Amino acid sequence: MTEIAQLPVRITAERRAGLASSGLGVVVAALFALTLVCGQGCAPLPEVAAALLGRDVPGTSFLVQELRLPRALLSLVTGICFGLGGVAFQIMLRNPLASPDIIGISAGAGTAAVFAIVVLSLDGPIVSLVAVLSGLAVALAIWGLSSGRSAAGARLILVGIGISAMLDSVTSYMLLDAQAWDRAEAMRWLTGSVNGARLDQVWPVAAALVFFGGLLAGTARDLDILRLGDDTAAGLGVRPDFTRLRVTLAAVGLVAFATAAAGPIAFVAFLAGPIAARITKGRARLPSAAAMGAILVLGGDFAGQFLLPVRLPVGVVTGALGAPFLLCLIVRANRAGGNL
Amino acid sequence: MTDAVRLEAVDLCAGYEGRRILDGISLRFLPGRITSIVGGNASGKSTLLRTLARVLYPMDGRVLLDGRSIHATRSRDVARAVGLLPQSPTAPEGITVRDLVGRGRHPHRGIFTSWTARDTEVVANALNLTGMADLSEREIDTLSGGQRQRAWIAMALTQETDLLLLDEPTTFLDIAHQIDVLDLLVDLNRMRGTTIVMVLHDLNLAARYSDHLVAIADGEIHVEGTPRKVLTESHVRAVFGLESRIVTDPVSGGPTMIPIGRHHSGRAEKATGTHS
């Protein structure tokens, strides 16, 4: 009897979670379209569609193809990368504070990129490569410094926050000394921005999304089993260390490539997972966090361009959104432990 | 009958971070039997179970599953043959009984294959067998300790292994729930022929519920055999450093151990004195 009575509850709960997940997808599509349509004055949707299809619409074609499409695409892929990379770390370390932007992996990628631009005078794909390798190196360093029996614990997060602060100060120092034109380019590494996005910035991130996102998707079930604890997971045929290695590699790859293209867009990796989990009641974590990441970047960029009295880069908007959330989480975590 | 033995330890040495805890353990677990591993704290019984379950790598020696070293077998293949219920396992927050139990299907599923009707059936059977069907939509955190343990056992059942290893499945349970869990394990053993190997703290429950006892002391097997053979006053003294009397359990007819302790030794001596 009880089973019969409870069945409808389960179905509605699942349907609601399913609806919420697909709702996130719809919001992503809407924000993407909004970014294409709006600029200095809005172009009508049919004209935008025509321009996208390659037809020559006077005025609109240039705006859409050269300015807005790269911007929308870059926002979309970096948002997805940050969302996935963040939630993967949060699930793996069972702590919402453990996202790559809090524990210094984004900062590592950012500092290295600034170093490459300002000190080594590099540009283009090499900067991305340097950023990715440094992100990995920082991840390894945090791992090493916090190793011991409780690598998943608070120790890793504290070490990461310390490293993050150190790297941020290095970035600021290098920017103080930089040439004016380098500084403009390097400024994006402080907060993150999709201003002046170009299509050739989008492709490496998209490729990283396919490769590392695929790796993460292939590991998702093992990662889920790992939440039952290492021993139980091992009993179910999951190799805990190997799984953590794959997840770390995938998450660092995603975050570092996204950071290399758009800078460490503040708090997107950190916020996407927990917000998505709240909306979908904890189901379908990876896809909903990916969608939420895209929503934060697309929405934050739109707000920064049009909804606020001054034009701000997306990282400033998401940063303003994330800081109170971080505070709230730290206060709550002391009372009841994280829930991701 | 060597070929009937599915799980076997050969000269097993294991431990943590260079510290050797198990020293040359050789054991055979006969199919369809219930074996309990008993011993004092830090005697190495959990280490033995974790090494048997492939969680821990041995420093020396081998664990054989059907004659093959399990540490050289793919973890997924081992997980289809041997189920493990670790000591006080942790469930993710907010997970329902049904979702937790379904996780036991993991070794049978591919990376992207979807949930099948058979998976649903296996989960439903496990829920019924453990009496958890009515609670299947409840969150684990809202259950009592005994119900929680049943849920974990149900999860191990959906793994469909005919070998089940359990590390102190009765810890933190009151005596009624301890009996409840052990009865459930005997049900599984009788109905499905599941071979059960468990670490148990309580000597008397181990003697009552097992076909075979293995007593571990200082990382070595002190004695193994039927409860009648293992549960003697001299073995209890050697393994636990405890003075005791062994009497016949009026319910099962098997041996049961009465500890003496410092404050009651006089009366016990007197009682045995008058009888002899």
Side-chain angles (χ1 to χ4, degrees):
Chain A
M1 287 303 280
T2 336
E3 205 174 5
I4 294 166
Q6 281 178 354
L7 211 56
V9 179
R10 179 181 164 79
I11 288 169
T12 42
E14 244 166 33
R15 188 178 296 165
R16 201 178 329 120
L19 275 179
S21 297
S22 34
L24 288 179
V26 172
V27 175
V28 171
L31 286 170
F32 189 82
L34 203 60
T35 307
L36 290 179
V37 169
C38 288
Q40 304 293 85
C42 285
L45 204 55
E47 273 188 30
V48 171
L52 277 183
L53 293 171
R55 245 170 286 157
D56 195 31
V57 186
T60 309
S61 278
F62 173 76
L63 279 179
V64 170
Q65 287 171 2
E66 297 298 317
L67 299 179
R68 294 182 196 161
L69 183 64
R71 185 179 199 121
L73 280 176
L74 189 65
S75 301
L76 181 74
V77 290
T78 53
I80 292 175
C81 284
F82 281 127
L84 282 178
V87 80
F89 260 87
Q90 288 166 328
I91 294 174
M92 179 173 72
L93 298 174
R94 294 190 200 102
N95 193 324
L97 286 175
S99 87
D101 41 359
I102 306 276
I103 61 172
I105 291 164
S106 310
T111 305
V114 171
F115 183 78
I117 294 167
V118 173
V119 180
L120 304 179
S121 305
L122 299 171
D123 60 2
I126 302 232
V127 176
S128 301
L129 188 70
V130 170
V132 170
L133 291 178
S134 310
L136 268 174
V138 169
L140 277 178
I142 296 171
W143 222 254
L145 283 173
S146 63
S147 72
R149 303 231 74 180
S150 63
R155 201 177 146 99
L156 183 139
I157 292 160
L158 290 177
V159 168
I161 289 174
I163 286 192
S164 184
M166 227 159 63
L167 290 168
D168 283 343
S169 70
V170 172
T171 306
S172 304
Y173 178 75
M174 285 191 293
L175 288 181
L176 276 179
D177 244 11
Q179 305 283 338
W181 54 85
D182 277 344
R183 198 180 298 166
E185 170 67 20
M187 267 310 278
R188 85 163 55 221
W189 298 100
L190 277 180
T191 53
S193 165
V194 289
N195 289 343
R198 298 182 314 270
L199 273 183
D200 62 332
Q201 289 177 303
V202 173
W203 304 133
V205 189
L209 181 57
V210 170
F211 180 76
F212 293 110
L215 179 63
L216 191 59
T219 317
R221 272 190 194 163
D222 283 357
L223 179 61
D224 178 59
I225 294 295
L226 211 54
R227 293 165 69 224
L228 302 177
D230 282 12
D231 281 13
T232 310
L236 288 170
V238 171
R239 292 155 65 194
D241 289 334
F242 185 57
T243 304
R244 274 193 282 269
L245 182 70
R246 277 184 301 174
V247 171
T248 305
L249 191 69
V252 171
L254 287 167
V255 168
F257 269 95
T259 305
I265 302 178
F267 290 139
V268 172
F270 166 62
L271 288 172
I275 295 179
R278 202 138 307 170
I279 292 173
T280 59
K281 307 274 182 253
R283 280 164 215 267
R285 289 144 185 285
L286 292 179
S288 61
M292 200 63 228
I295 289 172
L296 284 170
V297 177
L298 284 164
D301 186 45
F302 185 78
Q305 283 193 87
F306 306 113
L307 301 183
L308 299 170
V310 280
R311 296 189 59 148
L312 294 171
V314 54
V316 174
V317 178
T318 56
L321 197 69
F325 189 81
L326 175 62
L327 278 177
C328 166
L329 207 66
I330 290 173
V331 170
R332 243 170 43 90
N334 273 344
R335 264 183 269 140
N339 64 345
L340 207 109
Chain B
M1 290 299 283
T2 339
D3 51 340
V5 176
R6 293 209 66 195
L7 191 66
E8 188 178 359
V10 184
D11 291 328
L12 203 59
C13 299
Y16 303 94
E17 280 149 29
R19 204 163 59 87
R20 188 173 278 218
I21 293 174
L22 292 185
D23 201 7
I25 300 261
S26 291
L27 270 176
R28 283 178 175 182
F29 298 98
L30 294 175
R33 298 285 194 85
I34 298 181
T35 303
S36 288
I37 302 167
V38 297
N41 290 333
S43 58
K45 40 190 205 310
S46 281
T47 309
L48 173 57
L49 200 83
R50 297 180 81 228
T51 315
L52 290 174
R54 199 183 184 278
V55 172
L56 205 63
Y57 254 75
M59 293 168 168
D60 216 339
R62 290 181 301 164
V63 177
L64 301 178
L65 176 68
D66 297 327
R68 279 184 67 193
S69 164
I70 60 165
H71 293 91
T73 310
R74 280 177 58 222
S75 45
R76 194 170 277 262
D77 294 340
V78 175
R80 286 186 198 150
V82 184
L84 169 70
L85 185 56
Q87 194 176 349
S88 37
T90 49
E93 203 173 303
I95 193 172
T96 63
V97 172
R98 185 184 295 278
D99 284 345
L100 177 74
V101 173
R103 297 289 195 279
R105 297 302 294 159
H106 186 73
H108 297 277
R109 303 177 70 198
I111 296 179
F112 293 111
T113 51
S114 56
W115 189 258
T116 64
R118 173 156 161 68
D119 291 328
T120 306
E121 190 191 314
V122 172
V123 169
N125 283 342
L127 288 170
N128 284 330
L129 198 67
T130 51
M132 291 299 288
D134 284 351
L135 298 170
S136 63
E137 306 307 327
R138 288 269 297 274
E139 291 182 6
I140 293 285
D141 332 320
T142 67
L143 301 179
S144 73
Q147 291 167 334
R148 230 175 270 186
Q149 196 63 318
R150 281 177 165 267
W152 282 103
I153 292 174
M155 190 206 79
L157 291 187
T158 61
Q159 218 172 319
E160 292 191 303
T161 61
D162 42 30
L163 266 154
L164 190 54
L165 309 181
L166 306 99
D167 195 353
E168 299 198 18
T170 57
T171 25
F172 306 125
L173 299 183
D174 63 41
I175 183 69
H177 285 111
Q178 293 183 30
I179 298 296
D180 183 59
V181 163
L182 292 170
D183 280 343
L184 174 62
L185 294 177
V186 174
D187 288 343
L188 294 178
N189 174 256
R190 297 220 176 119
M191 287 159 60
R192 295 189 169 190
T194 307
T195 307
I196 290 173
V197 178
M198 58 186 163
V199 169
L200 273 188
H201 247 317
D202 190 311
L203 254 187
N204 289 335
L205 289 181
R208 167 81 80 83
Y209 281 93
S210 315
D211 305 307
H212 195 85
L213 287 184
V214 178
I216 304 264
D218 295 328
E220 291 176 34
I221 296 175
H222 176 75
V223 59
E224 63 163 320
T226 59
R228 185 60 76 185
K229 178 183 168 197
V230 172
L231 210 56
T232 67
E233 286 160 19
S234 67
H235 288 323
V236 171
R237 189 180 306 120
V239 172
F240 292 94
L242 178 74
E243 291 302 324
S244 65
R245 292 286 170 273
I246 303 298
V247 296
T248 298
D249 175 352
V251 176
S252 68
T256 199
M257 186 273 296
I258 313 282
I260 293 173
R262 279 193 296 121
H263 298 289
H264 300 283
S265 52
R267 280 176 61 193
E269 292 300 334
K270 225 179 285 171
T272 41
T274 45
H275 280 292
S276 55

